[in-house]
Amino acid sequence: MRPENGFQHLALNAAKLLVMSTKPVASPYLVPFDGSFRVKDAKTQPPKSGRDKDGNKKSLKKSIKKLTELQRRLYADDRHALLLVFQAMDAAGKDGTIRAVMSGVDPAGCQVFSFKAPSAEERDHDFMWRVYRSLPERGRIGIFNRSHYEEVLVVRVHPEFLEGQQLPRPLDPKAIWKSRYEAIRAFEKHWAASGTVVLKFWLNVSEQEQGKRFLDRIDEPEANWKFSARDVEERKLWDKYMVAYEKALNETSRPEAPWYAVPADDKAFMRATVADIIVRKLEQLDLRYPEVTAEERAALLARRAELTPEE
Ligand code: ATP
Ligand code: MG
């Protein structure tokens, strides 16, 4: 084969891999890219005909096992990073899902960042600053428990927060949301093109189920610490949050950084669904342990001979 054919072959393979790795994992919960997502049609309950609790637990266990191996390869391959973004209303189960799905993963290869209201230092920078500093390195899994999306969710529900953000005046909220969606799309596209796989999960809990979980937090003394009066205040703004979520998901679900709106009223189903999407995405990537050439192998064997104790 002539060398240029060899390169052509390589280039074709690379193109094929690129297409593969930007192809979103199919799921009934994938948020379409054409702006047609509607919160009112999004399911908060699993399908009636689906697996039972035990079935979901088994499925999660299988995925965790696969994820353990895939993460080892992600780390050894050292070309891609995986960024998992979790957004949800309070008590939807972000923390528990992160804990369950990552339970088999080597802590050295994985990092969780929880984003709260920005500090004074963070407010002195643009909203992506703190996010950019928290992105996973190649080979690692980064988990965002809340994220840059708060800037078009909680802040959109409370536009008065913009006042405290030291932005140039005059403030034009409409223009700000538009420019934030644009910025988010552009950043995520850039991360994806640079090798970071971006998966975003909206854990979609119903208002009724959230109410039940808040009551449980009050009734169970061991869960009291999780209850916050502020969460009840935010709950009163439910409809506004749903408008903000619908807008954000439509504006930013793209093939290179898709959103999945996962039903969250049933925790076992939600965890199994999230884990399955992550596993199938990593399986697309063709992650490999670095190959050893014949020369490197020969050098290793020579070292082996040196190290072997004499009889
Ligand atoms: P949990 O309650 O399960 O511990 P949490 O994610 O709700 O977890 P909290 O400390 O209760 O954590 O809440 C963090 C708060 O910070 C949320 O109300 C969230 O909306 C808010 N927040 C995060 N990012 C921003 C932001 N950029 N601007 C304003 N508020 C933000
Ligand atoms: Mg909270």
Side-chain angles (χ1 to χ4, degrees), residues 90 94 116 146 217 226 228 231:
D90 286 299
K94 281 185 280 115
K116 315 275 180 189
R146 303 188 187 273
R217 287 179 177 187
K226 284 196 204 170
S228 136
D231 293 353

PDB file of all heavy atoms in Angstrom, residues 90 94 116 146 217 226 228 231, ligand 2:
ATOM      1  N   ASP A  90     -34.886  20.126  43.964  1.00  0.00           N
ATOM      2  CA  ASP A  90     -34.421  19.525  45.223  1.00  0.00           C
ATOM      3  C   ASP A  90     -35.116  18.186  45.463  1.00  0.00           C
ATOM      4  O   ASP A  90     -36.274  18.000  45.081  1.00  0.00           O
ATOM      5  CB  ASP A  90     -34.742  20.478  46.386  1.00  0.00           C
ATOM      6  CG  ASP A  90     -33.796  21.669  46.392  1.00  0.00           C
ATOM      7  OD1 ASP A  90     -32.587  21.451  46.519  1.00  0.00           O
ATOM      8  OD2 ASP A  90     -34.279  22.804  46.244  1.00  0.00           O
ATOM      9  N   LYS A  94     -30.190  13.568  43.171  1.00  0.00           N
ATOM     10  CA  LYS A  94     -28.874  13.740  42.512  1.00  0.00           C
ATOM     11  C   LYS A  94     -27.783  13.013  43.294  1.00  0.00           C
ATOM     12  O   LYS A  94     -27.031  12.227  42.723  1.00  0.00           O
ATOM     13  CB  LYS A  94     -28.492  15.224  42.456  1.00  0.00           C
ATOM     14  CG  LYS A  94     -29.158  16.028  41.388  1.00  0.00           C
ATOM     15  CD  LYS A  94     -28.599  17.454  41.383  1.00  0.00           C
ATOM     16  CE  LYS A  94     -29.212  18.311  42.444  1.00  0.00           C
ATOM     17  NZ  LYS A  94     -28.437  18.812  43.513  1.00  0.00           N
ATOM     18  N   LYS A 116     -22.492  25.653  44.339  1.00  0.00           N
ATOM     19  CA  LYS A 116     -23.449  26.405  45.164  1.00  0.00           C
ATOM     20  C   LYS A 116     -23.515  27.832  44.622  1.00  0.00           C
ATOM     21  O   LYS A 116     -22.872  28.157  43.632  1.00  0.00           O
ATOM     22  CB  LYS A 116     -22.967  26.426  46.615  1.00  0.00           C
ATOM     23  CG  LYS A 116     -22.477  25.089  47.125  1.00  0.00           C
ATOM     24  CD  LYS A 116     -23.601  24.243  47.632  1.00  0.00           C
ATOM     25  CE  LYS A 116     -23.115  22.904  48.130  1.00  0.00           C
ATOM     26  NZ  LYS A 116     -24.169  21.976  48.448  1.00  0.00           N
ATOM     27  N   ARG A 146     -25.064  19.997  40.145  1.00  0.00           N
ATOM     28  CA  ARG A 146     -25.370  21.366  39.706  1.00  0.00           C
ATOM     29  C   ARG A 146     -24.181  21.841  38.876  1.00  0.00           C
ATOM     30  O   ARG A 146     -23.114  21.225  38.893  1.00  0.00           O
ATOM     31  CB  ARG A 146     -25.678  22.330  40.832  1.00  0.00           C
ATOM     32  CG  ARG A 146     -26.846  21.863  41.714  1.00  0.00           C
ATOM     33  CD  ARG A 146     -27.239  22.958  42.694  1.00  0.00           C
ATOM     34  NE  ARG A 146     -28.232  22.508  43.646  1.00  0.00           N
ATOM     35  CZ  ARG A 146     -29.530  22.543  43.423  1.00  0.00           C
ATOM     36  NH1 ARG A 146     -29.984  23.019  42.284  1.00  0.00           N
ATOM     37  NH2 ARG A 146     -30.383  22.128  44.329  1.00  0.00           N
ATOM     38  N   ARG A 217     -38.483  13.812  54.940  1.00  0.00           N
ATOM     39  CA  ARG A 217     -37.314  14.430  55.576  1.00  0.00           C
ATOM     40  C   ARG A 217     -37.685  15.038  56.927  1.00  0.00           C
ATOM     41  O   ARG A 217     -36.844  15.130  57.819  1.00  0.00           O
ATOM     42  CB  ARG A 217     -36.728  15.518  54.664  1.00  0.00           C
ATOM     43  CG  ARG A 217     -36.011  14.928  53.472  1.00  0.00           C
ATOM     44  CD  ARG A 217     -35.447  15.976  52.538  1.00  0.00           C
ATOM     45  NE  ARG A 217     -34.708  15.313  51.461  1.00  0.00           N
ATOM     46  CZ  ARG A 217     -33.986  15.937  50.542  1.00  0.00           C
ATOM     47  NH1 ARG A 217     -33.892  17.261  50.565  1.00  0.00           N
ATOM     48  NH2 ARG A 217     -33.342  15.255  49.615  1.00  0.00           N
ATOM     49  N   LYS A 226     -31.384  17.007  56.124  1.00  0.00           N
ATOM     50  CA  LYS A 226     -31.502  17.266  54.688  1.00  0.00           C
ATOM     51  C   LYS A 226     -32.583  18.288  54.384  1.00  0.00           C
ATOM     52  O   LYS A 226     -32.681  18.789  53.268  1.00  0.00           O
ATOM     53  CB  LYS A 226     -31.892  15.962  53.963  1.00  0.00           C
ATOM     54  CG  LYS A 226     -30.776  14.981  53.787  1.00  0.00           C
ATOM     55  CD  LYS A 226     -31.214  13.984  52.728  1.00  0.00           C
ATOM     56  CE  LYS A 226     -30.511  12.673  52.829  1.00  0.00           C
ATOM     57  NZ  LYS A 226     -31.111  11.671  51.958  1.00  0.00           N
ATOM     58  N   SER A 228     -34.544  21.669  54.214  1.00  0.00           N
ATOM     59  CA  SER A 228     -34.204  23.085  54.276  1.00  0.00           C
ATOM     60  C   SER A 228     -35.451  23.906  53.933  1.00  0.00           C
ATOM     61  O   SER A 228     -36.148  23.621  52.960  1.00  0.00           O
ATOM     62  CB  SER A 228     -33.056  23.352  53.299  1.00  0.00           C
ATOM     63  OG  SER A 228     -33.282  24.523  52.573  1.00  0.00           O
ATOM     64  N   ASP A 231     -35.764  25.203  50.489  1.00  0.00           N
ATOM     65  CA  ASP A 231     -36.261  24.295  49.451  1.00  0.00           C
ATOM     66  C   ASP A 231     -37.776  24.438  49.295  1.00  0.00           C
ATOM     67  O   ASP A 231     -38.305  24.348  48.183  1.00  0.00           O
ATOM     68  CB  ASP A 231     -35.916  22.833  49.781  1.00  0.00           C
ATOM     69  CG  ASP A 231     -34.398  22.574  49.729  1.00  0.00           C
ATOM     70  OD1 ASP A 231     -33.662  23.489  49.317  1.00  0.00           O
ATOM     71  OD2 ASP A 231     -33.982  21.464  50.096  1.00  0.00           O
TER      72      ASP A 231
HETATM   73 MG    MG B   2     -30.491  21.674  48.635  1.00  0.00          MG
END
